[in-house]
Amino acid sequence: MTETSFPAAAGLGTFERWLSVWVALAIGAGLILGNLFPSVFAALAALEVASVNLPVAVLIWAMVYPMMVGVDFTALRQVGSKPKGLAVTLVVNWLIKPFTMAALGVLFFEHVFASFIPADDAQAYLAGVILLGAAPCTAMVFVWSNLTRGDATYTLVQVSVNDVIMVFAFAPIVAFLLGVTDIVVPWDTLLISVGLYVMLPLLAGYLTRSRLVAKGGTAAVDAFKSRVQPFSVIGLLVTVVLLFGFQGEVILDRPLVIALIAVPLLIQSYGIFFLAYGAARAWGIPFNVAAPCALIGTSNFFELAVAVAISLFGLGSGAALATVVGVLVEVPVMLSLVAFANRTQHWFPKDTPPAPR
């Protein structure tokens, strides 16, 4: 290991470091339980109000809420401090990434893999990867930034700006791309999902953070996040168990489906990273900004994608399955890119502190 590479353990907790393993175990548990207790899963699927599955809604909130508490919107005051990095992030996340993901989904599910995947399933998987492509990372990017020793203030600014944009842009982009691919989208369900899984958690997180900061500053925020983090972990794993419990029969009949879904996701992840990383290098952006600005577009807000897929298409849908495959491949991909970034940081100029006034 060279002096410029940093071990994953430096900023990655036990859960995050082994996320793919825990998800794989949850997938196995879901497949087994779904086949042993189909009536239980059917009863859980029936607990719906306005196309929102109540058990899943609780689990998604358990995942998303702690992340939203960590978003500090006072950082928006510094939005102009690193304009080049922010420009790369916004262009890649909102003008490129959703559309390349949709294009790759069409290419693979409707053409390359057409002989392996029934047409209806192909449309469902396509919808799932589109939802992933339209949701840039909110929480895990702090981990990836830390592992590359990225600029913490810039990382906070880019996450805060992306969250604000997500409130307004996620639903229109998803509806447009699903419409282009001839997938019918119920607008009311999509808007309810954005309100339930983006706007309300964001508001709740903002109010909680404000109260915590007033009482004990950022230390109180960190302590609160540490207390609620286990609920986020449990929420993710139980959601995966439910999804694969409903998908168990389909997956056991066609075990290659997971690998087929993973192919366009892997191409998208590496392609988006190198696009943003290359743009940052060409523009002379310092490494501690270039790394997090490339990593945020590569990583996905998979919690939101899972929640919206379930609301729009159902717990047992191929769209929901595709979003969970995104969870499965994300951590090994991101760790490989963190290692690459750390080994190539000499390609970038060093950040210089502002001159004293």
Side-chain angles (χ1 to χ4, degrees):
M1 184 176 291
T2 64
E3 291 183 1
T4 58
S5 62
F6 309 106
L12 212 58
T14 300
F15 172 70
E16 292 88 355
R17 189 163 60 250
W18 298 100
L19 178 61
S20 292
V21 174
W22 308 139
V23 171
L25 292 174
I27 288 172
L31 293 175
I32 294 170
L33 293 174
N35 281 276
L36 291 177
F37 307 105
S39 60
V40 173
F41 284 83
L44 291 172
L47 297 175
E48 285 191 356
V49 174
S51 300
V52 174
N53 183 270
L54 298 180
V56 172
V58 172
L59 293 170
I60 297 294
W61 259 76
M63 285 189 274
V64 174
Y65 173 62
M67 303 174 191
M68 297 307 191
V69 174
V71 176
D72 181 7
F73 286 107
T74 62
L76 292 175
R77 300 169 188 165
Q78 304 179 54
V79 70
S81 61
K82 309 283 183 180
K84 290 184 178 180
L86 193 60
V88 170
T89 293
L90 295 181
V91 169
V92 168
N93 280 353
W94 299 107
L95 299 180
I96 297 176
K97 181 183 176 185
F99 305 96
T100 55
M101 187 73 264
L104 285 169
V106 170
L107 173 64
F108 281 94
F109 297 136
E110 296 188 357
H111 298 283
V112 178
F113 298 150
S115 58
F116 301 102
I117 301 175
D120 290 344
D121 290 348
Q123 287 286 290
Y125 302 150
L126 175 57
V129 299
I130 285 173
L131 289 170
L132 282 168
C137 187
T138 293
M140 287 293 283
V141 71
F142 290 109
V143 176
W144 312 131
S145 178
N146 184 42
L147 292 177
T148 57
R149 299 188 183 177
D151 184 311
T153 301
Y154 166 75
T155 304
L156 186 58
V157 168
Q158 72 172 6
V159 169
S160 301
V161 171
N162 271 285
D163 279 351
V164 171
I165 293 174
M166 194 183 308
V167 170
F168 302 100
F170 179 80
I173 288 176
V174 166
F176 170 75
L177 291 174
L178 293 179
V180 166
T181 55
D182 297 325
I183 299 172
V184 177
V185 181
W187 260 98
D188 54 345
T189 304
L190 179 58
L191 293 176
I192 288 172
S193 298
V194 172
L196 185 62
Y197 300 122
V198 180
M199 296 180 68
L200 287 180
L202 205 57
L203 177 60
Y206 170 77
L207 295 174
T208 302
R209 184 183 182 91
S210 297
R211 293 188 64 179
L212 290 169
V213 169
K215 290 182 178 180
T218 55
V221 175
D222 293 339
F224 178 81
K225 287 170 58 183
S226 297
R227 291 196 300 270
V228 299
Q229 184 60 32
F231 297 102
S232 182
V233 174
I234 293 168
L236 172 61
L237 296 181
V238 176
T239 300
V240 172
V241 170
L242 284 177
L243 288 174
F244 279 82
F246 285 104
Q247 296 281 352
E249 186 176 347
V250 174
I251 295 170
L252 292 177
D253 287 343
R254 288 180 283 123
L256 284 178
V257 69
I258 304 298
L260 295 180
I261 294 172
V263 170
L265 293 176
L266 289 169
I267 295 173
Q268 164 84 350
S269 296
Y270 285 109
I272 286 297
F273 173 82
F274 286 112
L275 175 64
Y277 202 60
R281 183 186 183 191
W283 209 354
I285 297 174
F287 176 76
N288 65 346
V289 171
C293 95
L295 292 168
I296 190 174
T298 311
S299 188
N300 297 307
F301 190 1
F302 53 76
E303 295 86 355
L304 173 62
V306 169
V308 177
I310 293 170
S311 295
L312 290 178
F313 305 106
L315 268 169
S317 66
L321 176 64
T323 59
V324 175
V325 176
V327 185
L328 187 63
V329 303
E330 174 153 328
V331 170
V333 167
M334 296 305 297
L335 288 177
S336 71
L337 291 174
V338 164
F340 176 83
N342 282 331
R343 288 183 173 86
T344 57
Q345 60 181 281
H346 60 278
W347 292 356
F348 297 82
K350 298 291 184 183
D351 193 23
T352 54
R357 296 180 180 178

